[in-house]
Structures are given as C-alpha cells and as structure tokens.
Amino acid sequence: QVQLVESGGGLVQAGGSLRLSCTASGRTFSSYAMGWFRQAPGKEREFVSNISRGGGSTDYADSVKGRFTISRDNAKNTVYLQMNSLKPDDTAVYYCAAGPRREYEYQAYDYWGQGTQVTVSS
C-alpha cells in the first residue's frame, strides 16, 4: 500500500511558476513509476507527465512540453512537477499517481493522491 500526498498548488498569474510535490509513504517508493495528471472542471482527467522508477526516463504531454519538468528524489520518497510559464489553460486539480510502469492512461496507475488545486489567472 502506498499513500500519496500532494502539495504546492495555489493561485498564480499567467507566466508564473509553481512547484508541486508528491510525497509517498512506505519504503517501496523507488519501485513505482510515477505520473502527474490533471482534471479541469467538466473535463476528463488527462496525462501531464510521468517518470521511471530511477528517474532516468520521462514523458510529457504536448501541451506542457518545454514548460513543465518532472523529477523525483527516491531518498525523500518525493516526486516533483516544476511548472513554468503557466497559462490559464493549466488551471486544474493536479494528481500524482504511482504504478508499475510509465503509462499515459490514468487507469494504469494503482495509487492516487487527493489532488492539489492549481489556478492560473489571466
């Protein structure tokens, strides 16, 4: 069992930056690939980024490529999402997830955090 807790969300102006953190409980964090997803009101949950167990491989949605950076610190049981050049379209609840492999589909992940709200004003 893995419990995930996100933090770092908030209100920011367009063009600003935020860094999300997701800290996991347990001793097996390094055995999971991690993903970030987001869900805006009235929309489906969508893939944002993922990272391999060791952190050497990453993927990004086209909409965030070049602006967001995912990283992880296995010693701290934490995965990060650095978000730069934020746009109003980035407004959503952001969720981190843990699963056996890096995947784009949210159904492939086994454990989820409670989400953190990111609001970008224009």
Side-chain angles (χ1 to χ4, degrees):
Q1 188 79 6
V2 176
Q3 292 185 328
L4 303 173
V5 179
E6 301 100 334
S7 61
L11 173 64
V12 64
Q13 289 188 335
S17 298
L18 284 174
R19 188 176 81 155
L20 305 183
S21 299
C22 171
T23 300
S25 64
R27 301 178 181 178
T28 60
F29 177 73
S30 60
S31 65
Y32 291 96
M34 299 297 296
W36 284 98
F37 291 77
R38 66 187 182 186
Q39 188 165 18
K43 295 187 177 181
E44 292 189 354
R45 190 167 300 192
E46 66 172 358
F47 167 76
V48 175
S49 182
N50 61 33
I51 189 166
S52 59
R53 301 172 195 176
S57 297
T58 59
D59 277 320
Y60 298 91
D62 287 343
S63 59
V64 307
K65 202 170 293 184
R67 300 188 297 123
F68 290 11
T69 303
I70 191 171
S71 62
R72 68 189 296 165
D73 185 339
N74 286 342
K76 295 183 178 179
N77 282 11
T78 301
V79 61
Y80 305 97
L81 186 68
Q82 177 66 44
M83 306 186 295
N84 298 329
S85 302
L86 283 161
K87 306 174 181 179
D89 284 349
D90 295 318
T91 296
V93 177
Y94 283 70
Y95 300 89
C96 69
R101 296 171 302 278
R102 288 190 304 128
E103 298 285 357
Y104 302 103
E105 296 79 20
Y106 70 86
Q107 296 92 333
Y109 290 80
D110 298 320
Y111 302 102
W112 290 85
Q114 81 289 350
T116 186
Q117 177 70 47
V118 171
T119 303
V120 184
S121 63
S122 57

